[in-house]
Amino acid sequence: MDILDHDRIPLHHETDVLVLGGGSAGCSAALAARMSGAASVTLVERAGFPGGISTQALDTFYGFFTPGDEPRKVAGGIGDRVVDALDAVGAIFLRPNTYGAGTGVNYNPERLKLVWDELLNEAGVRTLLHTHLVDVEGSADSPEAVVVWSKAGFSRIRARVFIDATGDADFCHRSGIACETAGEKEPAQTMTTTFRMANVDLEAYRQAGGKQMLMKEMARAVDEGVHPLPRKEGSVHRMNVPGCISTVAVRVAGFCATDPEDLTAAEQEGRRQAFIYEAFLRDRVVGFAESRIIGLSSSIGVRESRRLEGRYRLTRGDCLGRATFDDKVLVCGAPIEDHRRSEGGGEETHWAYIPDNGVYEVPYRCFLPKENARTLVAGRCFSATHDAHASCRSMAQTMAMGHACGAAAALSLEDDVALPDLSMPRLQDLLRRQGAVLEMPESVADIRPDGWAGNQSTPTIP
Ligand SMILES: Cc1cc2nc3c(=O)[nH]c(=O)nc-3n(C[C@H](O)[C@H](O)[C@H](O)COP(=O)(O)OP(=O)(O)OC[C@H]3O[C@@H](n4cnc5c(N)ncnc54)[C@H](O)[C@@H]3O)c2cc1C
């Protein structure tokens, strides 16, 4: 969009593949690009650590397994590599069939920061933390370079392929590539400040009824008006650290995640609610009397903001119709899980399941902008409607999106073809060889709460 005088900004370096945003999608894209042969890959991340929401706010990967009594493992590749690395240091456990979304892989988020660091370094990715994308040089149909800002000032990075994995589609927005803003067409999903508490007596909590007791107490507290909780639901689950729990309970609605004043208000409201929950838990829930908050998510969790309007837009019909596509690059079996404000001003979660615990396929075109042939868009800003996004946003899928986009970027350079003209059988074959899952497995997944049997064919990172 050229808001800055680019002629006066020094060139920092040139790279083959430039990944913008180091969340679960961006880290996976950078790893996959190197793993698939790209000679130089740069990852730009504004925070001081990689992982995005996976390390800022959360501790459970969903989307690896389909829900139901006969779960299938429907994601692998880079995602497996990440879970294997966590498993090797005892930093995971499996939570069978939690909240109807299928088995979750619980991990230690602080350890995950280190795992992402190590994988990126081993793979030879040039990572720039504390570095913000602020502008794009060129136009929507011909991006040439980005302008980044860090404590060293402004600088430019030129690239042959750009992967926008900023979650908020910042690269697309700045270059003029068409995006939809959450809330424009359907109500945007709410935001959540997650928090962690220590010194919880989990055995007493379990014996007193666990989740069922919690739900009853929440409803009672809301009805009595003693603790002004924003809603009667919320996930409280044990962490990878003894005596600690983490939550997805706070709900902040009605703010725009790309407006700084709104985002400030949302952060403040999220913190305010977290301590209302703390007071409620200590007061009303068995096992919590001596507990305290020990950490809030470092940023409020944003479920949706901007999304690409790409060459294909995944729809609710695709999810619930178990759609198939010739250019599939991943599959998803996660239900539509839509957190929104109810008409009465409260909070509800709408669920819709993929029929027969099946999967739908996600086409490569969901990651391709219409405007140019040198950009891919991975992760939660991919091209989908509000509903389809609410199903396909789990981290096993955002890692699979990053994997597919990184591999596609490397192949397009190797074959010297534009991204939209890439041979799909060739890309799909490469992804399968790297352990990605592109079709529903026949065998039921081997799920053991304290084990991980995900690494049928873990990819090698050079
Ligand atoms: C509250 C909440 C609960 C959720 N619960 C679960 C769950 O339990 N399990 C699950 O699997 N999924 C869950 N999800 C969904 C899932 O976490 C996200 O969809 C997924 O993590 C998105 O990954 P991403 O890499 O696309 O985006 P992000 O994780 O948002 O990563 C984007 C990255 O880009 C960086 N960035 C942004 N703008 C710039 C810029 N201009 N310059 C440089 N860097 C930039 C950010 O700092 C960030 O690191 C939840 C989401 C939320 C918000």
Side-chain angles (χ1 to χ4, degrees):
M1 233 179 219
D2 294 354
I3 54 172
L4 297 163
D5 181 357
H6 294 149
D7 293 340
R8 298 179 54 201
I9 299 176
L11 183 67
H12 191 274
H13 68 277
E14 300 192 24
T15 184
D16 283 337
V17 180
L18 176 57
V19 182
L20 299 150
S24 50
C27 289
S28 302
L31 293 172
R34 282 288 295 134
M35 199 169 81
S36 309
S40 57
V41 178
T42 296
L43 176 65
V44 166
E45 166 56 45
R46 67 180 168 174
F49 53 86
I53 297 172
S54 76
T55 49
Q56 285 166 17
L58 296 182
D59 69 351
T60 308
F61 294 127
Y62 281 118
F64 273 105
F65 301 100
T66 53
D69 295 333
E70 298 196 327
R72 304 294 205 277
K73 183 167 177 293
V74 292
I78 301 275
D80 276 359
R81 184 74 188 79
V82 171
V83 179
D84 285 349
L86 289 162
D87 191 25
V89 291
I92 62 158
F93 64 86
L94 271 61
R95 294 203 278 138
N97 270 317
T98 32
Y99 306 101
T103 294
V105 181
N106 182 287
Y107 56 86
N108 180 330
E110 301 306 326
R111 190 74 200 211
L112 178 57
K113 290 176 185 170
L114 184 60
V115 163
W116 285 126
D117 279 344
E118 288 171 349
L119 292 176
L120 292 166
N121 288 341
E122 277 165 27
V125 173
R126 183 171 186 170
T127 303
L128 294 172
L129 300 178
H130 291 296
T131 304
H132 299 235
L133 164 74
V134 291
D135 201 9
V136 178
E137 187 180 310
S139 54
D141 54 4
S142 175
E144 297 298 330
V146 300
V147 178
V148 296
W149 179 86
S150 69
K151 290 287 182 183
F154 291 107
S155 57
R156 288 157 57 239
I157 305 172
R158 290 178 66 85
R160 295 168 70 192
V161 175
F162 300 88
I163 301 182
D164 185 342
T166 58
D168 299 324
D170 280 5
F171 174 88
C172 295
H173 180 65
R174 293 253 65 92
S175 56
I177 291 172
C179 294
E180 172 188 347
T181 302
E184 260 175 12
K185 296 181 180 157
E186 289 123 308
Q189 291 215 51
T190 50
M191 300 182 224
T192 298
T193 302
T194 58
F195 63 90
R196 297 157 200 160
M197 294 179 77
N199 206 29
V200 180
D201 185 341
L202 284 163
E203 188 48 30
Y205 171 72
R206 194 186 61 77
Q207 283 184 11
K211 188 182 171 195
Q212 280 176 344
M213 178 263 299
L214 172 70
M215 294 300 151
K216 220 168 74 194
E217 289 299 336
M218 277 187 178
R220 198 157 68 87
V222 171
D223 292 343
E224 290 172 2
V226 183
H227 295 284
L229 302 178
R231 61 181 190 137
K232 298 181 184 178
E233 293 174 1
S235 144
V236 168
H237 55 266
R238 83 175 164 99
M239 291 184 68
N240 206 265
V241 180
C244 293
I245 58 99
S246 70
T247 67
V248 181
V250 163
R251 285 302 153 83
V252 179
F255 295 108
C256 172
T258 51
D259 177 292
E261 300 216 34
D262 267 26
L263 202 50
T264 303
E267 293 279 13
Q268 292 175 350
E269 172 61 12
R271 286 192 276 277
R272 192 186 72 81
Q273 288 185 20
F275 284 93
I276 291 174
Y277 272 102
E278 184 198 54
F280 155 75
L281 288 162
R282 283 168 46 79
D283 182 30
R284 293 290 180 92
V285 180
V286 177
F288 281 76
E290 301 303 322
S291 64
R292 289 280 193 288
I293 285 183
I294 50 160
L296 304 174
S297 47
S298 52
S299 287
I300 192 165
V302 174
R303 290 184 171 83
E304 55 172 346
S305 49
R306 293 189 202 103
R307 272 194 301 278
L308 171 71
E309 298 219 9
R311 293 181 190 228
Y312 187 80
R313 202 158 170 253
L314 195 72
T315 65
R316 180 186 181 91
D318 293 333
C319 302
L320 299 182
R322 298 171 55 175
T324 58
F325 297 95
D326 288 343
D327 60 340
K328 65 180 172 185
V329 285
L330 64 132
V331 296
C332 179
I336 296 174
E337 182 188 343
D338 185 358
H339 301 260
R340 58 165 70 170
R341 185 156 46 179
S342 69
E343 284 181 8
E347 172 62 42
E348 340 178 298
T349 305
H350 297 261
W351 295 86
Y353 287 84
I354 315 304
D356 304 321
N357 294 320
V359 293
Y360 57 88
E361 298 174 353
V362 181
Y364 174 61
R365 283 163 296 153
C366 286
F367 311 109
L368 284 172
K370 294 175 194 147
E371 289 82 351
N372 73 64
R374 290 174 57 192
T375 304
L376 288 157
V377 180
R380 67 180 171 86
C381 47
F382 84 117
S383 179
T385 62
H386 169 83
D387 288 333
H389 174 266
S391 161
C392 204
R393 67 194 174 87
S394 292
M395 292 183 281
Q397 275 67 44
T398 54
M399 289 190 279
M401 292 179 198
H403 187 165
C405 289
L411 273 192
S412 83
L413 294 174
E414 185 182 327
D415 293 357
D416 198 19
V417 294
L419 288 166
D421 301 331
L422 211 56
S423 154
M424 281 305 106
R426 189 159 142 69
L427 175 61
Q428 290 159 343
D429 178 52
L430 176 66
L431 290 171
R432 285 190 190 98
R433 281 189 282 116
Q434 293 176 343
V437 180
L438 271 62
E439 35 277 312
M440 181 76 151
E442 281 176 17
S443 56
V444 176
D446 174 14
I447 294 179
R448 290 160 286 133
D450 292 313
W452 165 252
N455 51 347
Q456 285 95 343
S457 60
T458 298
T460 318
I461 294 175

